[in-house]
Amino acid sequence: MSEPNLDSSRIPTHIGLILDGNGRWAEQRALPRTAGHAAGEASLFATIESARELGVDWLSAFTFSTENWSRSKDEVEFLMFFNEDLLLRRRDELDAQGIRIFFAGDLDDPRIPERNRARMAETSAMTATNDGMCLVFAFNYGGRVEIAEAARRLALLVQQGELNPERIDPSTFAGQLYVPEMPDVDLVIRTSGEMRLSNFLLWQAAYAEFVFPEVLWPDFSREDLVAAIAEYQRRKRRFGTA
Ligand code: IPE
Ligand code: MG
């Protein structure tokens, strides 16, 4: 479906989504915070569908941060179960749309339930040969950990005599990030009016444009996505040039 308000030749290649405001959405309705996460599923999948239709090549969604472990035990347990359950219920429809699914994050963390880890591994394997939109779930993700981990891997290669330190540059470095194929982020959208990056795609967002819609994540709609991309298209990207 083409979109009259957008220039189809300037759709961002990679959009990063910081899904924020689920808790506040629930609190406004006197519901438990977890009801907000459950409600956010519909907006996430509607956004995936819209992004695909609009011709976005990469969509990355921040679904669980390395800092989210400090939430209440109930909320963490809910989010773990929810992420696994969501994959089980939804991956076939994503696969049918040709979507390739990646997970970015520390997936070896022993706090992640084994079943969840298995579900993620199966999901990336089952969609690995798809050639549609690339969808990244940033799960147990933190940008600093990602960068430190890449440095550690490079150090190991040097130690094993497989890499000359002289050859380390931004592109060899990016090759050690969680999803080496991932292009830079063009547009980061964070809902709920919060204006922070919160350790999301630190490396990849070096030249990103940022849009901060006031809407809480469970209320985020196709119109909000189109408005964010329209705002992006009004920006003049300079990449450090005059
Ligand atoms: C984001 O919503 C949900 C996650 C990705 C964990 P929040 O849970 O941060 O909602 P608020 O900020 O408390 O409203
Ligand atoms: Mg929040």
Side-chain angles (χ1 to χ4, degrees):
M1 204 185 333
S2 77
E3 182 55 55
N5 299 323
L6 296 179
D7 173 351
S8 59
S9 71
R10 290 182 52 237
I11 297 293
T13 299
H14 184 184
I15 296 181
L17 289 175
I18 304 179
L19 326 170
D20 202 5
N22 292 350
R24 279 163 281 170
W25 184 94
E27 279 153 24
Q28 286 175 2
R29 288 161 179 76
L31 294 169
R33 292 179 53 81
T34 51
H37 301 313
E41 175 182 337
S43 36
L44 177 59
F45 281 80
T47 302
I48 293 168
E49 177 69 31
S50 304
R52 196 178 64 84
E53 283 172 10
L54 294 170
V56 173
D57 291 334
W58 284 77
L59 184 70
S60 295
F62 206 177
T63 54
F64 192 87
S65 85
T66 47
E67 288 70 38
N68 287 154
W69 294 106
S70 62
R71 296 191 175 195
S72 75
K73 188 170 171 283
D74 281 358
E75 187 170 351
V76 169
E77 270 175 16
F78 178 91
L79 288 169
M80 285 294 137
F81 168 78
F82 184 56
N83 274 283
E84 186 213 342
D85 180 57
L86 182 146
L87 288 180
L88 266 182
R89 287 185 288 104
R90 298 284 205 153
R91 63 188 179 189
D92 288 342
E93 81 189 65
L94 297 176
D95 188 38
Q97 293 167 18
I99 293 177
R100 187 168 172 201
I101 301 174
F102 298 85
F103 296 88
D106 178 7
L107 307 185
D108 297 329
D109 189 321
R111 292 173 295 183
I112 300 175
E114 202 50 58
R115 286 171 46 146
N116 201 326
R117 204 185 332 275
R119 221 58 71 217
M120 291 190 277
E122 292 158 9
T123 304
S124 22
M126 80 185 255
T127 63
T129 56
N130 288 349
D131 58 4
M133 186 173 79
C134 294
L135 172 65
V136 181
F137 290 107
F139 183 78
N140 197 27
Y141 176 86
R144 288 184 174 176
V145 172
E146 176 178 39
I147 291 170
E149 174 68 16
R152 200 180 60 78
R153 291 185 204 172
L154 288 169
L156 274 175
L157 291 173
V158 170
Q159 191 183 45
Q160 290 158 359
E162 287 168 32
L163 176 68
N164 177 350
E166 301 294 325
R167 289 198 36 234
I168 299 177
D169 62 13
S171 107
T172 46
F173 198 95
Q176 300 298 327
L177 297 173
Y178 290 130
V179 182
E181 306 92 325
M182 180 192 282
D184 277 357
V185 181
D186 300 297
L187 169 62
V188 173
I189 302 172
R190 181 175 190 148
T191 53
S192 85
E194 305 285 351
M195 300 185 194
R196 286 187 296 279
L197 188 53
S198 297
N199 209 6
F200 183 53
L201 302 180
L202 287 186
W203 176 280
Q204 300 86 343
Y207 283 99
E209 297 293 331
F210 291 82
V211 175
F212 299 106
E214 292 286 331
V215 60
L216 303 176
W217 177 255
D219 294 326
F220 190 80
S221 65
R222 180 189 170 95
E223 289 66 40
D224 296 311
L225 177 68
V226 170
I229 298 175
E231 170 65 25
Y232 164 87
Q233 294 187 338
R234 286 191 289 273
R235 305 267 175 94
K236 183 163 167 27
R237 301 187 79 194
R238 295 175 184 267
F239 299 100
T241 64

